[in-house]
Amino acid sequence: MHGPMNRICIFGAGSIGCYVGGRLAACGAPVTLIGRERIGREIAQHGLHLTDWQGATLDVSPDGLRFATTGEAAADAALVLVTVKSADTDAAGQSLARVLRDETVVVSFQNGLDNPKQLKRHLIRQVVLAGMVPFNVVNRGRGAFRQGSEGVLEVERHAALAGFETLFVAAGLPLAQQSDLRPAQWAKLLLNLNNSINALCGLPRKEQLSQRDYRRCVSLAQREALALLEHAGIRPARLTPLPPGWIPTLLSSPDWLFARLANRMLAIDPFARSSMWEDLEAGRRTEVDWLNGEIVRLARGQDRAAPVNARLVELVRAAEAGGERNWRGAAPDDRPMTAISN
Ligand SMILES: NC(=O)c1ccc[n+]([C@@H]2O[C@H](COP(=O)([O-])OP(=O)(O)OC[C@H]3O[C@@H](n4cnc5c(N)ncnc54)[C@H](OP(=O)(O)O)[C@@H]3O)[C@@H](O)[C@H]2O)c1
């Protein structure tokens, strides 16, 4: 039996939050989702319908979990998973700080590297851990969420997680605990450097990655990041069949060769786009400052520049303010900072 002491709260009932929280609820865990009213209404009407790329299907009825729209609902949580976008982390931290007990464990399952630190600034007495979600989840509407790719949740190792391990295994989401999560976080960030390029070109991800000009932009952004990481002595983990250092070369290959070598990378829903594109569509602030912006900060810390990623940050900021969103990928090799030019 699960009592209130091991209630799990998901702060940010969106794609990741509803999927992970829903899977935990499906195996009997007491779960509270904190999210927006519109998602609450969908769940009240349809429950959650969770599927994955391997054909798994799980249904959670509306009374199989608790839904709330404010942070107070986290007061009785033993574990909180923060799954808001990075721009909302600060507000999430503030809201949680008002109600969490000291012994509550908080895991940030967000992209980028800075979110756990941002949370820690508010949650000074709680254990705050970094987490990493390697797979993607798409919100298909009416309570349906689909995990579209493989991968295992990673989290910083901590004794406080011991009470939850079995539950995550039962939910089909085992936690791979790492003493240092930064190599995995950096590896994920390298892959996420494509999000800005996808958002700026306005094409579905599959179509974008099928075009060498756009892949070259990603390759330039990754090469720049890899050089800075090497200089900083950081070795990104290997999350893909190819080691991170080889991916830029693969991306730069001609279309015919890329299609042969990277069929896994192209095995994506033909209509799927990046969440950064969705943020621009919805007029929300994007996560560009926590992704390409992290590379710019890494460069600054080394008294160096990161012109490709700085340019991508600049273009996404302009797009957030209503600017251009159909950039082409043509990139003269001698002007890499304009990897994207119209
Ligand atoms: N989706 C993926 O496939 C994926 C994969 C790996 C990692 N990630 C990372 O995981 C994190 C979450 O991504 P996501 O795609 O799940 O985001 P998402 O779908 O936008 O979900 C976040 C939800 O939290 C809500 N929210 C924000 N602040 C709130 C508050 N104070 N109270 C209640 N609800 C609040 C948002 O509402 P509004 O939109 O109305 O603000 C949104 O519905 C991001 O860092 C992302 O980069 C995502």
Side-chain angles (χ1 to χ4, degrees):
M1 276 308 285
H2 301 284
M5 287 306 285
N6 46 29
R7 178 162 283 275
I8 298 178
C9 174
I10 312 287
F11 197 107
S15 302
I16 296 298
C18 289
Y19 184 76
V20 172
R23 287 197 74 138
L24 292 166
C27 66
V31 170
T32 301
L33 296 181
I34 296 178
R36 304 297 188 198
E37 252 176 66
R38 62 173 195 282
I39 301 282
R41 275 195 301 272
E42 272 182 36
I43 297 177
Q45 198 179 343
H46 307 283
L48 287 171
H49 179 66
L50 312 171
T51 53
D52 77 10
W53 55 287
Q54 286 176 309
T57 301
L58 288 168
D59 286 298
V60 183
S61 68
D63 55 9
L65 43 73
R66 213 161 76 181
F67 194 94
T69 53
T70 59
E72 281 84 61
D76 61 351
L79 174 68
V80 176
L81 310 182
V82 177
T83 54
V84 293
K85 291 263 173 69
S86 303
D88 296 318
T89 302
D90 225 35
Q94 273 176 33
S95 158
L96 288 169
R98 285 195 284 272
V99 297
L100 290 193
R101 298 178 311 212
D102 291 2
E103 60 274 23
T104 301
V105 182
V106 179
V107 181
S108 152
F109 273 124
Q110 301 163 279
N111 278 334
L113 280 97
D114 200 47
N115 288 299
K117 248 186 287 166
Q118 263 181 277
L119 288 171
K120 193 69 206 159
R121 249 175 254 141
H122 300 286
L123 304 170
I124 38 183
R125 290 186 304 277
Q126 289 78 8
V127 171
V128 178
L129 303 172
M132 197 274 291
V133 180
F135 49 78
N136 80 295
V137 174
V138 176
N139 179 350
R140 299 181 141 193
R142 296 168 165 240
F145 293 86
R146 180 174 178 78
Q147 177 183 340
S149 54
E150 63 190 324
V152 170
L153 293 178
E154 298 200 20
V155 63
E156 260 179 285
R157 187 182 304 285
H158 198 284
L161 291 172
F164 302 100
E165 285 168 20
T166 322
L167 178 61
F168 276 81
V169 170
L173 296 170
L175 297 173
Q177 295 188 44
Q178 312 287 355
S179 47
D180 181 6
L181 199 69
R182 291 176 76 82
Q185 289 175 298
W186 278 113
K188 182 76 199 294
L189 189 142
L190 284 168
L191 299 173
N192 283 333
L193 295 179
N194 182 47
N195 293 7
S196 51
I197 293 156
N198 179 263
L200 288 166
C201 78
L203 297 174
R205 202 191 281 256
K206 185 175 180 128
E207 195 177 335
Q208 177 230 328
L209 284 174
S210 300
Q211 298 184 34
R212 190 185 195 184
D213 281 344
Y214 289 122
R215 290 199 308 277
R216 276 185 173 147
C217 296
V218 189
S219 171
L220 287 167
Q222 287 196 354
R223 278 185 210 280
E224 183 175 89
L226 282 162
L228 293 161
L229 287 173
E230 191 176 352
H231 197 255
I234 301 167
R235 272 193 73 175
R238 181 171 173 170
L239 301 179
T240 47
L242 271 191
W246 293 13
I247 294 178
T249 307
L250 172 69
L251 288 168
S252 307
S253 60
D255 289 342
W256 65 270
L257 186 59
F258 184 77
R260 268 193 212 172
L261 297 177
N263 45 7
R264 269 175 82 163
M265 223 187 264
L266 290 174
I268 37 182
D269 182 321
F271 301 108
R273 297 168 188 256
S274 66
S275 67
M276 201 176 285
W277 179 87
E278 285 167 8
D279 287 340
L280 288 179
E281 269 304 279
R284 285 188 297 251
R285 187 175 169 200
T286 70
E287 291 191 300
V288 74
D289 284 334
W290 290 267
L291 301 173
N292 305 80
E294 194 67 57
I295 303 302
V296 177
R297 284 192 288 281
L298 182 66
R300 213 175 288 141
Q302 298 175 9
D303 266 335
R304 298 166 88 183
V308 175
N309 284 287
R311 172 86 172 135
L312 291 166
V313 171
E314 185 191 323
L315 293 180
V316 173
R317 290 240 185 88
E320 285 172 347
E324 179 101 25
R325 283 175 53 197
N326 57 354
W327 294 84
R328 292 200 312 276
D333 283 345
D334 58 340
R335 290 177 62 222
M337 62 161 292
T338 54
I340 290 199
S341 63
N342 61 353

